Amino acid sequence: MRYILRGGTLHRGSEWADLDTRPLEDQLAEIAHEVALRSEAAEHSRYADQQARKTAQQNRENALHIAHAAHAYRVQHLGKQTDAGHEAKGLAEFVTAVRDHTAPLPPGQEKTEIEEWLAFTDAHFQQLIKAASAPRLPTPPHPSRADLEPYLATVKPSANRAQPRPQSQQDQRLSDHT
């Protein structure tokens, strides 16, 4: 009689035969041990595959969150550019009206104060124009620890450590007998 074990990861052997010097019954412990080793290896492989799938899923979710945050940041930036453009347009109209009103004024304290105000306004106007006319996508800043804190509260401390390997049936049997 012959016993052949197929499948799984080979550890010590895959074939046992009934011999005159060694009957198959005497080899049953070896066969059982090989089956247990292959079962444990398959368990570890399944566990590693499961962990790899979980990690890949988490990476996809993280990438999606980053993409959403980058999109939201860019939309917010676009809103600021739009607001700056509207403010610049309104300010330009207002400054033009003030210049038209100031031009006929005689030299004096009122005209000097208005010209100082116009100089300040021109500088501010240049900043608005620069903010409104930078037509490129901004790079979202990296979040600070404080920005991330509300999201980190849901992460369990053990999630940052290596996951324990599952206990094999053979390990379980050994611990039950001790």
Side-chain angles (χ1 to χ4, degrees):
M1 184 189 303
R2 182 177 302 272
Y3 185 81
I4 299 172
L5 185 59
R6 299 189 198 284
T9 304
L10 175 68
H11 290 276
R12 296 188 178 186
S14 61
E15 193 172 323
W16 295 264
D18 197 10
L19 305 170
D20 291 335
T21 59
R22 193 163 181 222
L24 194 58
E25 300 87 45
D26 292 349
Q27 299 175 56
L28 288 177
E30 287 178 33
I31 295 169
H33 187 67
E34 181 68 21
V35 169
L37 289 173
R38 290 184 187 196
S39 173
E40 186 176 334
E43 231 179 282
H44 286 290
S45 179
R46 278 191 301 276
Y47 181 75
D49 289 347
Q50 180 185 29
Q51 291 305 312
R53 284 191 302 276
K54 282 182 182 179
T55 300
Q57 178 64 28
Q58 187 64 44
N59 289 342
R60 283 190 294 275
E61 289 174 10
N62 288 344
L64 190 59
H65 287 301
I66 290 169
H68 283 298
H71 177 75
Y73 178 80
R74 288 173 173 167
V75 167
Q76 181 183 21
H77 184 75
L78 179 61
K80 288 178 182 177
Q81 285 179 314
T82 303
D83 292 345
H86 290 302
E87 187 178 344
K89 183 179 178 184
L91 184 59
E93 292 171 0
F94 182 61
V95 167
T96 299
V98 169
R99 282 189 204 285
D100 291 346
H101 170 74
T102 306
L105 289 177
Q109 183 174 352
E110 181 182 9
K111 188 169 186 167
T112 302
E113 288 174 358
I114 293 174
E115 287 171 348
E116 287 174 4
W117 180 87
L118 285 170
F120 165 78
T121 307
D122 284 339
H124 180 67
F125 180 73
Q126 293 307 314
Q127 288 179 338
L128 288 175
I129 292 296
K130 182 179 178 184
S133 64
R136 59 177 197 250
L137 292 175
T139 302
H142 291 289
S144 68
R145 175 82 178 171
D147 294 334
L148 297 175
E149 199 62 43
Y151 304 103
L152 295 175
T154 61
V155 176
K156 295 177 184 169
S158 63
N160 294 334
R161 285 186 261 137
Q163 295 290 328
R165 70 175 179 86
Q167 191 174 29
S168 71
Q169 291 173 349
Q170 185 178 12
D171 291 343
Q172 182 65 41
R173 283 191 300 266
L174 288 173
S175 68
D176 290 344
H177 294 295
T178 55

